[in-house]
PDB file of all heavy atoms in Angstrom:
ATOM      1  N   ASP A   1      15.667 126.448  89.633  1.00  0.00           N
ATOM      2  CA  ASP A   1      14.515 125.878  88.937  1.00  0.00           C
ATOM      3  C   ASP A   1      13.441 126.959  88.885  1.00  0.00           C
ATOM      4  O   ASP A   1      12.922 127.386  89.924  1.00  0.00           O
ATOM      5  CB  ASP A   1      14.017 124.641  89.694  1.00  0.00           C
ATOM      6  CG  ASP A   1      12.904 123.903  88.943  1.00  0.00           C
ATOM      7  OD1 ASP A   1      12.231 124.544  88.105  1.00  0.00           O
ATOM      8  OD2 ASP A   1      12.713 122.703  89.210  1.00  0.00           O
ATOM      9  N   ARG A   2      13.099 127.395  87.682  1.00  0.00           N
ATOM     10  CA  ARG A   2      12.186 128.520  87.519  1.00  0.00           C
ATOM     11  C   ARG A   2      10.778 128.223  88.043  1.00  0.00           C
ATOM     12  O   ARG A   2       9.977 129.147  88.283  1.00  0.00           O
ATOM     13  CB  ARG A   2      12.130 128.928  86.045  1.00  0.00           C
ATOM     14  CG  ARG A   2      11.606 130.331  85.813  1.00  0.00           C
ATOM     15  CD  ARG A   2      11.707 130.724  84.356  1.00  0.00           C
ATOM     16  NE  ARG A   2      13.090 130.950  83.960  1.00  0.00           N
ATOM     17  CZ  ARG A   2      13.743 132.104  84.149  1.00  0.00           C
ATOM     18  NH1 ARG A   2      13.143 133.101  84.757  1.00  0.00           N
ATOM     19  NH2 ARG A   2      14.979 132.228  83.739  1.00  0.00           N
ATOM     20  N   SER A   3      10.460 126.987  88.234  1.00  0.00           N
ATOM     21  CA  SER A   3       9.130 126.638  88.734  1.00  0.00           C
ATOM     22  C   SER A   3       8.981 126.979  90.221  1.00  0.00           C
ATOM     23  O   SER A   3       7.870 126.973  90.748  1.00  0.00           O
ATOM     24  CB  SER A   3       8.850 125.150  88.507  1.00  0.00           C
ATOM     25  OG  SER A   3       9.765 124.350  89.231  1.00  0.00           O
ATOM     26  N   TYR A   4      10.104 127.270  90.891  1.00  0.00           N
ATOM     27  CA  TYR A   4      10.062 127.637  92.307  1.00  0.00           C
ATOM     28  C   TYR A   4      10.009 129.158  92.463  1.00  0.00           C
ATOM     29  O   TYR A   4      10.542 129.906  91.632  1.00  0.00           O
ATOM     30  CB  TYR A   4      11.286 127.090  93.043  1.00  0.00           C
ATOM     31  CG  TYR A   4      11.225 125.591  93.278  1.00  0.00           C
ATOM     32  CD1 TYR A   4      11.679 124.710  92.305  1.00  0.00           C
ATOM     33  CD2 TYR A   4      10.709 125.078  94.459  1.00  0.00           C
ATOM     34  CE1 TYR A   4      11.624 123.332  92.494  1.00  0.00           C
ATOM     35  CE2 TYR A   4      10.653 123.698  94.670  1.00  0.00           C
ATOM     36  CZ  TYR A   4      11.111 122.839  93.679  1.00  0.00           C
ATOM     37  OH  TYR A   4      11.046 121.484  93.879  1.00  0.00           O
ATOM     38  N   SER A   5       9.373 129.616  93.535  1.00  0.00           N
ATOM     39  CA  SER A   5       9.201 131.059  93.773  1.00  0.00           C
ATOM     40  C   SER A   5      10.547 131.766  93.943  1.00  0.00           C
ATOM     41  O   SER A   5      10.733 132.892  93.480  1.00  0.00           O
ATOM     42  CB  SER A   5       8.347 131.299  95.021  1.00  0.00           C
ATOM     43  OG  SER A   5       7.086 130.695  94.873  1.00  0.00           O
ATOM     44  N   PHE A   6      11.491 131.136  94.637  1.00  0.00           N
ATOM     45  CA  PHE A   6      12.775 131.777  94.934  1.00  0.00           C
ATOM     46  C   PHE A   6      13.851 131.291  93.959  1.00  0.00           C
ATOM     47  O   PHE A   6      14.873 130.734  94.347  1.00  0.00           O
ATOM     48  CB  PHE A   6      13.184 131.489  96.378  1.00  0.00           C
ATOM     49  CG  PHE A   6      12.211 132.050  97.385  1.00  0.00           C
ATOM     50  CD1 PHE A   6      11.214 131.244  97.926  1.00  0.00           C
ATOM     51  CD2 PHE A   6      12.289 133.379  97.771  1.00  0.00           C
ATOM     52  CE1 PHE A   6      10.305 131.757  98.836  1.00  0.00           C
ATOM     53  CE2 PHE A   6      11.389 133.893  98.688  1.00  0.00           C
ATOM     54  CZ  PHE A   6      10.394 133.095  99.224  1.00  0.00           C
ATOM     55  N   PHE A   7      13.575 131.542  92.678  1.00  0.00           N
ATOM     56  CA  PHE A   7      14.469 131.088  91.614  1.00  0.00           C
ATOM     57  C   PHE A   7      15.853 131.730  91.759  1.00  0.00           C
ATOM     58  O   PHE A   7      15.997 132.949  91.759  1.00  0.00           O
ATOM     59  CB  PHE A   7      13.848 131.455  90.260  1.00  0.00           C
ATOM     60  CG  PHE A   7      14.712 131.166  89.069  1.00  0.00           C
ATOM     61  CD1 PHE A   7      15.158 129.882  88.793  1.00  0.00           C
ATOM     62  CD2 PHE A   7      15.077 132.196  88.200  1.00  0.00           C
ATOM     63  CE1 PHE A   7      15.951 129.616  87.685  1.00  0.00           C
ATOM     64  CE2 PHE A   7      15.874 131.944  87.090  1.00  0.00           C
ATOM     65  CZ  PHE A   7      16.314 130.654  86.828  1.00  0.00           C
ATOM     66  N   CYS A   8      16.884 130.892  91.930  1.00  0.00           N
ATOM     67  CA  CYS A   8      18.289 131.331  92.022  1.00  0.00           C
ATOM     68  C   CYS A   8      18.529 132.338  93.138  1.00  0.00           C
ATOM     69  O   CYS A   8      19.428 133.181  93.059  1.00  0.00           O
ATOM     70  CB  CYS A   8      18.754 131.916  90.686  1.00  0.00           C
ATOM     71  SG  CYS A   8      18.908 130.698  89.367  1.00  0.00           S
ATOM     72  N   LYS A   9      17.735 132.253  94.215  1.00  0.00           N
ATOM     73  CA  LYS A   9      17.837 133.235  95.304  1.00  0.00           C
ATOM     74  C   LYS A   9      19.201 133.209  95.986  1.00  0.00           C
ATOM     75  O   LYS A   9      19.757 134.255  96.335  1.00  0.00           O
ATOM     76  CB  LYS A   9      16.746 132.947  96.344  1.00  0.00           C
ATOM     77  CG  LYS A   9      16.657 133.961  97.486  1.00  0.00           C
ATOM     78  CD  LYS A   9      16.156 135.307  96.998  1.00  0.00           C
ATOM     79  CE  LYS A   9      15.753 136.216  98.152  1.00  0.00           C
ATOM     80  NZ  LYS A   9      16.791 136.482  99.121  1.00  0.00           N
ATOM     81  N   ALA A  10      19.760 132.017  96.187  1.00  0.00           N
ATOM     82  CA  ALA A  10      21.069 131.924  96.851  1.00  0.00           C
ATOM     83  C   ALA A  10      22.140 132.658  96.036  1.00  0.00           C
ATOM     84  O   ALA A  10      22.975 133.392  96.585  1.00  0.00           O
ATOM     85  CB  ALA A  10      21.469 130.457  97.039  1.00  0.00           C
ATOM     86  N   GLY A  11      22.117 132.478  94.718  1.00  0.00           N
ATOM     87  CA  GLY A  11      23.069 133.168  93.851  1.00  0.00           C
ATOM     88  C   GLY A  11      22.862 134.672  93.872  1.00  0.00           C
ATOM     89  O   GLY A  11      23.832 135.448  93.900  1.00  0.00           O
ATOM     90  N   GLU A  12      21.583 135.114  93.867  1.00  0.00           N
ATOM     91  CA  GLU A  12      21.281 136.544  93.937  1.00  0.00           C
ATOM     92  C   GLU A  12      21.823 137.153  95.223  1.00  0.00           C
ATOM     93  O   GLU A  12      22.441 138.227  95.212  1.00  0.00           O
ATOM     94  CB  GLU A  12      19.761 136.767  93.880  1.00  0.00           C
ATOM     95  CG  GLU A  12      19.154 136.601  92.512  1.00  0.00           C
ATOM     96  CD  GLU A  12      17.651 136.881  92.530  1.00  0.00           C
ATOM     97  OE1 GLU A  12      17.090 137.036  93.632  1.00  0.00           O
ATOM     98  OE2 GLU A  12      17.049 136.935  91.438  1.00  0.00           O
ATOM     99  N   ASP A  13      21.565 136.484  96.344  1.00  0.00           N
ATOM    100  CA  ASP A  13      22.018 136.992  97.648  1.00  0.00           C
ATOM    101  C   ASP A  13      23.543 137.086  97.710  1.00  0.00           C
ATOM    102  O   ASP A  13      24.101 138.054  98.234  1.00  0.00           O
ATOM    103  CB  ASP A  13      21.513 136.085  98.771  1.00  0.00           C
ATOM    104  CG  ASP A  13      20.002 136.167  98.940  1.00  0.00           C
ATOM    105  OD1 ASP A  13      19.400 137.131  98.423  1.00  0.00           O
ATOM    106  OD2 ASP A  13      19.430 135.258  99.581  1.00  0.00           O
ATOM    107  N   LEU A  14      24.200 136.063  97.188  1.00  0.00           N
ATOM    108  CA  LEU A  14      25.659 136.020  97.219  1.00  0.00           C
ATOM    109  C   LEU A  14      26.259 137.127  96.346  1.00  0.00           C
ATOM    110  O   LEU A  14      27.198 137.830  96.743  1.00  0.00           O
ATOM    111  CB  LEU A  14      26.135 134.654  96.733  1.00  0.00           C
ATOM    112  CG  LEU A  14      27.549 134.211  97.105  1.00  0.00           C
ATOM    113  CD1 LEU A  14      27.808 134.364  98.577  1.00  0.00           C
ATOM    114  CD2 LEU A  14      27.763 132.775  96.654  1.00  0.00           C
ATOM    115  N   ASP A  15      25.711 137.295  95.157  1.00  0.00           N
ATOM    116  CA  ASP A  15      26.186 138.334  94.241  1.00  0.00           C
ATOM    117  C   ASP A  15      26.029 139.720  94.868  1.00  0.00           C
ATOM    118  O   ASP A  15      26.948 140.546  94.831  1.00  0.00           O
ATOM    119  CB  ASP A  15      25.395 138.252  92.937  1.00  0.00           C
ATOM    120  CG  ASP A  15      25.810 139.307  91.938  1.00  0.00           C
ATOM    121  OD1 ASP A  15      26.848 139.111  91.265  1.00  0.00           O
ATOM    122  OD2 ASP A  15      25.114 140.341  91.831  1.00  0.00           O
ATOM    123  N   LYS A  16      24.882 139.971  95.461  1.00  0.00           N
ATOM    124  CA  LYS A  16      24.607 141.266  96.092  1.00  0.00           C
ATOM    125  C   LYS A  16      25.525 141.507  97.283  1.00  0.00           C
ATOM    126  O   LYS A  16      26.051 142.604  97.471  1.00  0.00           O
ATOM    127  CB  LYS A  16      23.142 141.318  96.530  1.00  0.00           C
ATOM    128  CG  LYS A  16      22.734 142.653  97.132  1.00  0.00           C
ATOM    129  CD  LYS A  16      21.267 142.622  97.557  1.00  0.00           C
ATOM    130  CE  LYS A  16      20.874 143.947  98.214  1.00  0.00           C
ATOM    131  NZ  LYS A  16      19.469 143.920  98.696  1.00  0.00           N
ATOM    132  N   ARG A  17      25.731 140.462  98.099  1.00  0.00           N
ATOM    133  CA  ARG A  17      26.544 140.617  99.310  1.00  0.00           C
ATOM    134  C   ARG A  17      28.007 140.913  98.971  1.00  0.00           C
ATOM    135  O   ARG A  17      28.628 141.781  99.592  1.00  0.00           O
ATOM    136  CB  ARG A  17      26.453 139.354 100.166  1.00  0.00           C
ATOM    137  CG  ARG A  17      27.239 139.416 101.469  1.00  0.00           C
ATOM    138  CD  ARG A  17      26.781 140.552 102.348  1.00  0.00           C
ATOM    139  NE  ARG A  17      27.546 140.644 103.600  1.00  0.00           N
ATOM    140  CZ  ARG A  17      27.788 141.771 104.236  1.00  0.00           C
ATOM    141  NH1 ARG A  17      27.331 142.916 103.749  1.00  0.00           N
ATOM    142  NH2 ARG A  17      28.476 141.773 105.355  1.00  0.00           N
ATOM    143  N   LEU A  18      28.560 140.220  98.006  1.00  0.00           N
ATOM    144  CA  LEU A  18      29.961 140.473  97.613  1.00  0.00           C
ATOM    145  C   LEU A  18      30.127 141.899  97.099  1.00  0.00           C
ATOM    146  O   LEU A  18      31.121 142.568  97.387  1.00  0.00           O
ATOM    147  CB  LEU A  18      30.400 139.464  96.551  1.00  0.00           C
ATOM    148  CG  LEU A  18      30.580 138.020  97.032  1.00  0.00           C
ATOM    149  CD1 LEU A  18      30.832 137.096  95.848  1.00  0.00           C
ATOM    150  CD2 LEU A  18      31.724 137.922  98.036  1.00  0.00           C
ATOM    151  N   TYR A  19      29.152 142.357  96.339  1.00  0.00           N
ATOM    152  CA  TYR A  19      29.185 143.729  95.823  1.00  0.00           C
ATOM    153  C   TYR A  19      29.145 144.739  96.973  1.00  0.00           C
ATOM    154  O   TYR A  19      29.877 145.737  96.966  1.00  0.00           O
ATOM    155  CB  TYR A  19      28.012 143.966  94.877  1.00  0.00           C
ATOM    156  CG  TYR A  19      28.030 145.311  94.194  1.00  0.00           C
ATOM    157  CD1 TYR A  19      28.877 145.549  93.103  1.00  0.00           C
ATOM    158  CD2 TYR A  19      27.212 146.344  94.641  1.00  0.00           C
ATOM    159  CE1 TYR A  19      28.907 146.786  92.489  1.00  0.00           C
ATOM    160  CE2 TYR A  19      27.234 147.588  94.025  1.00  0.00           C
ATOM    161  CZ  TYR A  19      28.078 147.803  92.952  1.00  0.00           C
ATOM    162  OH  TYR A  19      28.104 149.030  92.343  1.00  0.00           O
ATOM    163  N   GLU A  20      28.289 144.470  97.973  1.00  0.00           N
ATOM    164  CA  GLU A  20      28.191 145.353  99.146  1.00  0.00           C
ATOM    165  C   GLU A  20      29.500 145.403  99.919  1.00  0.00           C
ATOM    166  O   GLU A  20      29.830 146.419 100.541  1.00  0.00           O
ATOM    167  CB  GLU A  20      27.077 144.865 100.070  1.00  0.00           C
ATOM    168  CG  GLU A  20      25.676 145.081  99.532  1.00  0.00           C
ATOM    169  CD  GLU A  20      24.613 144.411 100.394  1.00  0.00           C
ATOM    170  OE1 GLU A  20      24.974 143.579 101.278  1.00  0.00           O
ATOM    171  OE2 GLU A  20      23.425 144.693 100.187  1.00  0.00           O
ATOM    172  N   MET A  21      30.262 144.330  99.878  1.00  0.00           N
ATOM    173  CA  MET A  21      31.521 144.262 100.626  1.00  0.00           C
ATOM    174  C   MET A  21      32.693 144.865  99.853  1.00  0.00           C
ATOM    175  O   MET A  21      33.836 144.774 100.290  1.00  0.00           O
ATOM    176  CB  MET A  21      31.817 142.807 101.008  1.00  0.00           C
ATOM    177  CG  MET A  21      30.767 142.207 101.929  1.00  0.00           C
ATOM    178  SD  MET A  21      31.013 140.457 102.267  1.00  0.00           S
ATOM    179  CE  MET A  21      32.170 140.524 103.635  1.00  0.00           C
ATOM    180  N   GLY A  22      32.396 145.447  98.693  1.00  0.00           N
ATOM    181  CA  GLY A  22      33.434 146.170  97.950  1.00  0.00           C
ATOM    182  C   GLY A  22      34.059 145.429  96.799  1.00  0.00           C
ATOM    183  O   GLY A  22      34.934 145.967  96.122  1.00  0.00           O
ATOM    184  N   ALA A  23      33.641 144.185  96.558  1.00  0.00           N
ATOM    185  CA  ALA A  23      34.216 143.417  95.451  1.00  0.00           C
ATOM    186  C   ALA A  23      33.751 143.996  94.112  1.00  0.00           C
ATOM    187  O   ALA A  23      32.694 144.608  94.003  1.00  0.00           O
ATOM    188  CB  ALA A  23      33.829 141.947  95.568  1.00  0.00           C
ATOM    189  N   ASP A  24      34.572 143.783  93.094  1.00  0.00           N
ATOM    190  CA  ASP A  24      34.311 144.310  91.752  1.00  0.00           C
ATOM    191  C   ASP A  24      33.659 143.226  90.892  1.00  0.00           C
ATOM    192  O   ASP A  24      34.278 142.220  90.592  1.00  0.00           O
ATOM    193  CB  ASP A  24      35.651 144.765  91.143  1.00  0.00           C
ATOM    194  CG  ASP A  24      35.496 145.301  89.725  1.00  0.00           C
ATOM    195  OD1 ASP A  24      34.349 145.555  89.293  1.00  0.00           O
ATOM    196  OD2 ASP A  24      36.533 145.455  89.042  1.00  0.00           O
ATOM    197  N   ARG A  25      32.394 143.452  90.498  1.00  0.00           N
ATOM    198  CA  ARG A  25      31.660 142.462  89.720  1.00  0.00           C
ATOM    199  C   ARG A  25      32.161 142.466  88.273  1.00  0.00           C
ATOM    200  O   ARG A  25      31.897 143.381  87.518  1.00  0.00           O
ATOM    201  CB  ARG A  25      30.160 142.765  89.761  1.00  0.00           C
ATOM    202  CG  ARG A  25      29.307 141.711  89.071  1.00  0.00           C
ATOM    203  CD  ARG A  25      27.853 142.153  88.978  1.00  0.00           C
ATOM    204  NE  ARG A  25      27.167 142.152  90.257  1.00  0.00           N
ATOM    205  CZ  ARG A  25      26.637 143.241  90.811  1.00  0.00           C
ATOM    206  NH1 ARG A  25      26.735 144.418  90.204  1.00  0.00           N
ATOM    207  NH2 ARG A  25      26.000 143.174  91.963  1.00  0.00           N
ATOM    208  N   LYS A  26      32.891 141.421  87.880  1.00  0.00           N
ATOM    209  CA  LYS A  26      33.455 141.333  86.535  1.00  0.00           C
ATOM    210  C   LYS A  26      32.494 140.695  85.536  1.00  0.00           C
ATOM    211  O   LYS A  26      32.564 140.965  84.338  1.00  0.00           O
ATOM    212  CB  LYS A  26      34.775 140.545  86.553  1.00  0.00           C
ATOM    213  CG  LYS A  26      35.958 141.326  87.093  1.00  0.00           C
ATOM    214  CD  LYS A  26      36.298 142.475  86.170  1.00  0.00           C
ATOM    215  CE  LYS A  26      37.501 143.263  86.638  1.00  0.00           C
ATOM    216  NZ  LYS A  26      37.761 144.419  85.768  1.00  0.00           N
ATOM    217  N   ILE A  27      31.631 139.807  86.030  1.00  0.00           N
ATOM    218  CA  ILE A  27      30.616 139.179  85.175  1.00  0.00           C
ATOM    219  C   ILE A  27      29.261 139.410  85.841  1.00  0.00           C
ATOM    220  O   ILE A  27      29.115 139.133  87.046  1.00  0.00           O
ATOM    221  CB  ILE A  27      30.852 137.661  85.007  1.00  0.00           C
ATOM    222  CG1 ILE A  27      32.251 137.373  84.472  1.00  0.00           C
ATOM    223  CG2 ILE A  27      29.802 137.053  84.070  1.00  0.00           C
ATOM    224  CD1 ILE A  27      32.575 135.891  84.358  1.00  0.00           C
ATOM    225  N   PRO A  28      28.276 139.922  85.114  1.00  0.00           N
ATOM    226  CA  PRO A  28      26.952 140.089  85.726  1.00  0.00           C
ATOM    227  C   PRO A  28      26.380 138.739  86.142  1.00  0.00           C
ATOM    228  O   PRO A  28      26.749 137.696  85.592  1.00  0.00           O
ATOM    229  CB  PRO A  28      26.125 140.727  84.601  1.00  0.00           C
ATOM    230  CG  PRO A  28      26.840 140.402  83.341  1.00  0.00           C
ATOM    231  CD  PRO A  28      28.290 140.327  83.689  1.00  0.00           C
ATOM    232  N   LEU A  29      25.504 138.761  87.137  1.00  0.00           N
ATOM    233  CA  LEU A  29      24.895 137.521  87.633  1.00  0.00           C
ATOM    234  C   LEU A  29      24.171 136.789  86.511  1.00  0.00           C
ATOM    235  O   LEU A  29      23.333 137.354  85.818  1.00  0.00           O
ATOM    236  CB  LEU A  29      23.915 137.861  88.758  1.00  0.00           C
ATOM    237  CG  LEU A  29      23.062 136.705  89.280  1.00  0.00           C
ATOM    238  CD1 LEU A  29      23.937 135.663  89.985  1.00  0.00           C
ATOM    239  CD2 LEU A  29      21.978 137.226  90.216  1.00  0.00           C
ATOM    240  N   TYR A  30      24.522 135.514  86.333  1.00  0.00           N
ATOM    241  CA  TYR A  30      23.828 134.647  85.365  1.00  0.00           C
ATOM    242  C   TYR A  30      22.945 133.696  86.152  1.00  0.00           C
ATOM    243  O   TYR A  30      23.412 132.986  87.046  1.00  0.00           O
ATOM    244  CB  TYR A  30      24.832 133.849  84.536  1.00  0.00           C
ATOM    245  CG  TYR A  30      25.280 134.515  83.262  1.00  0.00           C
ATOM    246  CD1 TYR A  30      25.929 135.740  83.288  1.00  0.00           C
ATOM    247  CD2 TYR A  30      25.043 133.923  82.025  1.00  0.00           C
ATOM    248  CE1 TYR A  30      26.350 136.358  82.124  1.00  0.00           C
ATOM    249  CE2 TYR A  30      25.453 134.531  80.845  1.00  0.00           C
ATOM    250  CZ  TYR A  30      26.105 135.754  80.903  1.00  0.00           C
ATOM    251  OH  TYR A  30      26.509 136.352  79.741  1.00  0.00           O
ATOM    252  N   LYS A  31      21.658 133.646  85.801  1.00  0.00           N
ATOM    253  CA  LYS A  31      20.716 132.726  86.451  1.00  0.00           C
ATOM    254  C   LYS A  31      20.291 131.645  85.451  1.00  0.00           C
ATOM    255  O   LYS A  31      19.809 131.957  84.361  1.00  0.00           O
ATOM    256  CB  LYS A  31      19.505 133.495  86.971  1.00  0.00           C
ATOM    257  CG  LYS A  31      19.886 134.488  88.076  1.00  0.00           C
ATOM    258  CD  LYS A  31      18.680 135.052  88.802  1.00  0.00           C
ATOM    259  CE  LYS A  31      17.970 136.111  88.004  1.00  0.00           C
ATOM    260  NZ  LYS A  31      16.890 136.771  88.800  1.00  0.00           N
ATOM    261  N   CYS A  32      20.491 130.391  85.839  1.00  0.00           N
ATOM    262  CA  CYS A  32      20.238 129.269  84.928  1.00  0.00           C
ATOM    263  C   CYS A  32      19.086 128.397  85.429  1.00  0.00           C
ATOM    264  O   CYS A  32      19.001 128.083  86.627  1.00  0.00           O
ATOM    265  CB  CYS A  32      21.482 128.388  84.802  1.00  0.00           C
ATOM    266  SG  CYS A  32      22.944 129.277  84.249  1.00  0.00           S
ATOM    267  N   ASP A  33      18.239 127.997  84.500  1.00  0.00           N
ATOM    268  CA  ASP A  33      17.139 127.072  84.816  1.00  0.00           C
ATOM    269  C   ASP A  33      17.687 125.638  84.782  1.00  0.00           C
ATOM    270  O   ASP A  33      18.891 125.432  84.634  1.00  0.00           O
ATOM    271  CB  ASP A  33      16.024 127.279  83.789  1.00  0.00           C
ATOM    272  CG  ASP A  33      14.664 126.854  84.312  1.00  0.00           C
ATOM    273  OD1 ASP A  33      14.619 126.212  85.377  1.00  0.00           O
ATOM    274  OD2 ASP A  33      13.657 127.170  83.658  1.00  0.00           O
ATOM    275  N   VAL A  34      16.794 124.660  84.880  1.00  0.00           N
ATOM    276  CA  VAL A  34      17.244 123.265  84.928  1.00  0.00           C
ATOM    277  C   VAL A  34      18.026 122.841  83.687  1.00  0.00           C
ATOM    278  O   VAL A  34      18.937 122.013  83.756  1.00  0.00           O
ATOM    279  CB  VAL A  34      16.035 122.315  85.146  1.00  0.00           C
ATOM    280  CG1 VAL A  34      15.519 122.422  86.563  1.00  0.00           C
ATOM    281  CG2 VAL A  34      14.919 122.609  84.148  1.00  0.00           C
ATOM    282  N   ASP A  35      17.679 123.431  82.522  1.00  0.00           N
ATOM    283  CA  ASP A  35      18.484 123.166  81.318  1.00  0.00           C
ATOM    284  C   ASP A  35      19.515 124.290  81.208  1.00  0.00           C
ATOM    285  O   ASP A  35      19.398 125.204  80.411  1.00  0.00           O
ATOM    286  CB  ASP A  35      17.591 123.104  80.070  1.00  0.00           C
ATOM    287  CG  ASP A  35      16.652 124.291  79.964  1.00  0.00           C
ATOM    288  OD1 ASP A  35      16.498 125.010  80.974  1.00  0.00           O
ATOM    289  OD2 ASP A  35      16.081 124.515  78.875  1.00  0.00           O
ATOM    290  N   PHE A  36      20.540 124.159  82.045  1.00  0.00           N
ATOM    291  CA  PHE A  36      21.484 125.259  82.269  1.00  0.00           C
ATOM    292  C   PHE A  36      22.647 125.314  81.289  1.00  0.00           C
ATOM    293  O   PHE A  36      23.431 126.269  81.286  1.00  0.00           O
ATOM    294  CB  PHE A  36      22.059 125.179  83.695  1.00  0.00           C
ATOM    295  CG  PHE A  36      22.698 123.855  84.013  1.00  0.00           C
ATOM    296  CD1 PHE A  36      23.970 123.540  83.572  1.00  0.00           C
ATOM    297  CD2 PHE A  36      22.011 122.908  84.773  1.00  0.00           C
ATOM    298  CE1 PHE A  36      24.563 122.325  83.870  1.00  0.00           C
ATOM    299  CE2 PHE A  36      22.593 121.690  85.080  1.00  0.00           C
ATOM    300  CZ  PHE A  36      23.874 121.392  84.632  1.00  0.00           C
ATOM    301  N   GLU A  37      22.816 124.323  80.438  1.00  0.00           N
ATOM    302  CA  GLU A  37      24.042 124.197  79.640  1.00  0.00           C
ATOM    303  C   GLU A  37      24.325 125.439  78.787  1.00  0.00           C
ATOM    304  O   GLU A  37      25.457 125.937  78.743  1.00  0.00           O
ATOM    305  CB  GLU A  37      23.972 122.959  78.730  1.00  0.00           C
ATOM    306  CG  GLU A  37      24.110 121.639  79.455  1.00  0.00           C
ATOM    307  CD  GLU A  37      22.812 121.182  80.091  1.00  0.00           C
ATOM    308  OE1 GLU A  37      21.794 121.889  79.902  1.00  0.00           O
ATOM    309  OE2 GLU A  37      22.805 120.139  80.775  1.00  0.00           O
ATOM    310  N   SER A  38      23.311 125.951  78.090  1.00  0.00           N
ATOM    311  CA  SER A  38      23.514 127.087  77.183  1.00  0.00           C
ATOM    312  C   SER A  38      23.922 128.353  77.939  1.00  0.00           C
ATOM    313  O   SER A  38      24.867 129.045  77.560  1.00  0.00           O
ATOM    314  CB  SER A  38      22.232 127.344  76.381  1.00  0.00           C
ATOM    315  OG  SER A  38      22.388 128.481  75.554  1.00  0.00           O
ATOM    316  N   ARG A  39      23.189 128.646  79.044  1.00  0.00           N
ATOM    317  CA  ARG A  39      23.517 129.843  79.844  1.00  0.00           C
ATOM    318  C   ARG A  39      24.881 129.685  80.509  1.00  0.00           C
ATOM    319  O   ARG A  39      25.650 130.652  80.605  1.00  0.00           O
ATOM    320  CB  ARG A  39      22.451 130.067  80.913  1.00  0.00           C
ATOM    321  CG  ARG A  39      21.116 130.561  80.409  1.00  0.00           C
ATOM    322  CD  ARG A  39      21.132 132.036  80.062  1.00  0.00           C
ATOM    323  NE  ARG A  39      21.210 132.896  81.225  1.00  0.00           N
ATOM    324  CZ  ARG A  39      21.502 134.182  81.167  1.00  0.00           C
ATOM    325  NH1 ARG A  39      21.757 134.754  80.005  1.00  0.00           N
ATOM    326  NH2 ARG A  39      21.563 134.914  82.257  1.00  0.00           N
TER     327      ARG A  39
END
């Protein structure tokens, strides 16, 4: 929810951590607001 300060923070942390552990990022991180259907 973009109205919160830590918008999509859990997803950001997870994406960064997997990359640090050597995983290959095939899709860049997508961050979706409350109307997430289009993204």
